[in-house]
Amino acid sequence: KKKDKDKKKKKDKDKEMRNLNDQCGSRGFIRVAEKFQKQDEFRCWLSEHKSIDFGMLGMKERDELWGEFVEDFNTATLPHDKYYNLPVWEQQQARKKAEKLTKLHKKAKKENKGAGGPMGRDEDIRAKELAEERQQRATREYQTELQAMQLQHQAKEKDAMAKILEMAMIAKSRE
């Protein structure tokens, strides 16, 4: 009987390990050295999940928290999808918002459709034109925001690389 219980416990542990192994890396892997590629997600995670301002941290604290973020990322245990790929999550949110506005507009259009006659058709055409203009404007604004975010990210990466090079030059000059 004891052997049967031990075998069952071992099977349960193996099953748990398989589940953890399946989950591990399901969202990709990052290494501790890849700080600059996931900087936006890390900062978002710090401010929203940990309630910590990135600018107020020392290098040692940043490294410790980065290690924690990497561990949670690699084991797929971060509390929200946006911490895995922030730009994709923001695109999804913008798309959902646009769809919601479109649905509301269609609903309002159906409610106002009862007017009928030639004036009703002209109003419907104009309403459709305005809706298309709003959609195009929203798309342009979203693309502008996305480009601005990408430029900010590139600038941050450039600044970080400059700091690393400066530190390397200082270290080399001390030798």
Side-chain angles (χ1 to χ4, degrees):
K1 287 183 180 182
K2 188 175 183 179
K3 288 182 183 180
D4 290 340
K5 286 183 181 179
D6 290 341
K7 285 182 183 180
K8 188 174 182 179
K9 284 182 183 178
K10 188 175 181 181
K11 284 182 183 179
D12 289 343
K13 285 183 182 179
D14 289 342
K15 194 181 252 186
E16 286 178 26
M17 288 302 292
R18 269 187 263 124
N19 287 342
L20 287 174
N21 288 337
D22 290 344
Q23 184 181 7
C24 195
S26 65
R27 305 253 187 172
F29 283 101
I30 54 174
R31 291 176 290 217
V32 175
E34 295 175 339
K35 278 185 184 181
F36 305 109
Q37 292 176 347
K38 292 292 183 183
Q39 192 67 240
D40 292 337
E41 288 83 352
F42 175 58
R43 286 176 182 232
C44 183
W45 175 78
L46 270 179
S47 66
E48 293 179 6
H49 182 64
K50 294 288 189 175
S51 300
I52 298 174
D53 183 17
F54 181 80
M56 301 301 288
L57 293 173
M59 289 298 284
K60 186 176 180 181
E61 294 166 320
R62 283 184 194 169
D63 290 342
E64 289 172 1
L65 288 167
W66 172 252
E68 185 179 336
F69 176 77
V70 168
E71 181 180 336
D72 288 352
F73 186 98
N74 291 341
T75 56
T77 55
L78 289 172
H80 198 279
D81 289 342
K82 68 180 163 188
Y83 303 127
Y84 294 99
N85 196 337
L86 190 59
V88 169
W89 180 81
E90 287 173 341
Q91 285 178 338
Q92 291 171 344
Q93 294 303 309
R95 195 176 311 116
K96 286 179 183 177
K97 185 176 179 180
E99 288 172 0
K100 186 176 180 180
L101 289 174
T102 303
K103 285 180 182 178
L104 288 173
H105 179 69
K106 285 181 180 179
K107 184 178 178 182
K109 188 176 176 181
K110 278 184 179 181
E111 290 173 359
N112 293 332
K113 203 169 190 173
M119 286 298 281
R121 279 184 254 134
D122 288 342
E123 290 171 359
D124 289 344
I125 291 170
R126 180 64 182 147
K128 187 175 181 180
E129 289 171 354
L130 290 173
E132 288 174 7
E133 288 175 15
R134 280 193 299 272
Q135 182 67 31
Q136 289 172 352
R137 191 176 331 118
T139 301
R140 282 193 306 270
E141 288 174 1
Y142 174 73
Q143 289 173 345
T144 303
E145 286 181 37
L146 188 59
Q147 287 173 347
M149 284 178 50
Q150 289 171 342
L151 289 173
Q152 275 184 328
H153 183 70
Q154 289 172 354
K156 288 176 189 175
E157 285 181 344
K158 188 176 179 181
D159 290 344
M161 290 305 292
K163 285 181 183 177
I164 290 171
L165 289 173
E166 183 181 339
M167 290 171 54
M169 291 177 73
I170 291 170
K172 191 172 183 178
S173 68
R174 289 182 181 170
E175 290 177 355

